[in-house]
Amino acid sequence: MGRGNVYVTGSYEGLFYIDNDDLQVWRKDGPDGKEPEIRMMADISLDELVADDWYVDEIESSYKEEDVLRCFCAELRKLCPSFQPAANSNVWLGNERRVILENELFYICVEDNEWSLAVELIQKDGYSDCQSAWLAGLQKRRYRGYLDDMKKALLARLPSIGVRTGPWTHGTITREEAGVC
């Protein structure tokens, strides 16, 4: 898996994965200049992928990812009104995590995971020891509820999401398993 093993390290953090099958749009040019065939990665069999001239449509894939994240943010803000869009659309934690929402306690970030897009709940740090202890207490009380709401918001738009089950493994949660309609 190489770099594609994104994880969180904070005591009160968590993440879910959006599989590239639900984000990548693939294209196969039509014969003799006719309309190209466009499909989601999940809808192309391995035999077709190998036999035909399919390629990732980067532009359509970026629109698809943007749409999925926009729907996720809107749904999560209904469930957790304290989360607001990041101060500007180009806020990053380190070189890899892009902040899409935040409140006083947490950031919600996205990070490329090669085979998926990780959606992460990341703790904010306090500026002093006293503030850090106070913040950690609030984060401990809230993070499980936020993770549950993140799961609901993702599954409102997607058929399934990935969850981390170990250092090199992940599982899948479907809408039906989570009880999301």
Side-chain angles (χ1 to χ4, degrees):
M1 274 192 209
R3 189 177 68 80
N5 196 29
V6 170
Y7 60 93
V8 293
T9 58
S11 299
Y12 311 116
E13 298 180 345
L15 70 134
F16 298 101
Y17 302 109
I18 304 172
D19 198 295
N20 282 345
D21 283 356
D22 296 319
L23 295 174
Q24 285 188 348
V25 177
W26 286 65
R27 174 184 298 267
K28 179 174 80 170
D29 293 329
D32 301 324
K34 293 184 180 176
E35 285 290 313
E37 186 174 352
I38 298 172
R39 289 195 216 166
M40 294 300 298
M41 185 174 169
D43 299 329
I44 303 172
S45 72
L46 182 58
D47 291 339
E48 287 178 299
L49 196 57
V50 172
D52 295 331
D53 294 325
W54 288 96
Y55 60 94
V56 176
D57 186 323
E58 298 290 342
I59 294 171
E60 289 298 323
S61 294
S62 69
Y63 290 152
K64 181 69 172 185
E65 180 179 315
E66 182 181 315
D67 179 59
V68 167
L69 291 177
R70 183 183 48 75
C71 291
F72 163 71
C73 289
E75 188 66 27
L76 185 64
R77 290 186 66 208
K78 287 180 196 173
L79 299 169
C80 305
S82 67
F83 279 101
Q84 297 298 316
N88 69 52
S89 61
N90 200 18
V91 177
W92 292 78
L93 293 179
N95 293 329
E96 304 293 326
R97 291 181 170 141
R98 181 170 58 98
V99 179
I100 57 173
L101 294 171
E102 65 180 311
N103 66 11
E104 295 297 321
L105 302 173
F106 294 96
Y107 297 106
I108 296 187
C109 304
V110 293
E111 184 174 355
D112 179 30
N113 194 39
E114 289 184 4
W115 57 270
S116 66
L117 183 68
V119 181
E120 306 163 316
L121 181 69
I122 304 295
Q123 292 174 251
K124 283 190 172 181
D125 294 329
Y127 300 107
S128 66
D129 290 341
C130 180
Q131 188 180 22
S132 290
W134 172 80
L135 211 58
L138 289 174
Q139 289 167 334
K140 181 178 182 180
R141 286 201 325 238
R142 298 298 312 202
Y143 88 103
R144 288 188 198 274
Y146 286 154
L147 286 173
D148 191 49
D149 289 340
M150 286 173 63
K151 175 175 62 176
K152 290 175 188 171
L154 286 166
L155 290 171
R157 176 68 172 78
L158 300 162
S160 64
I161 54 174
V163 292
R164 187 175 166 85
T165 57
W168 296 101
T169 60
H170 79 283
T172 303
I173 299 173
T174 64
R175 281 184 187 149
E176 294 77 26
E177 291 170 343
V180 177
C181 297

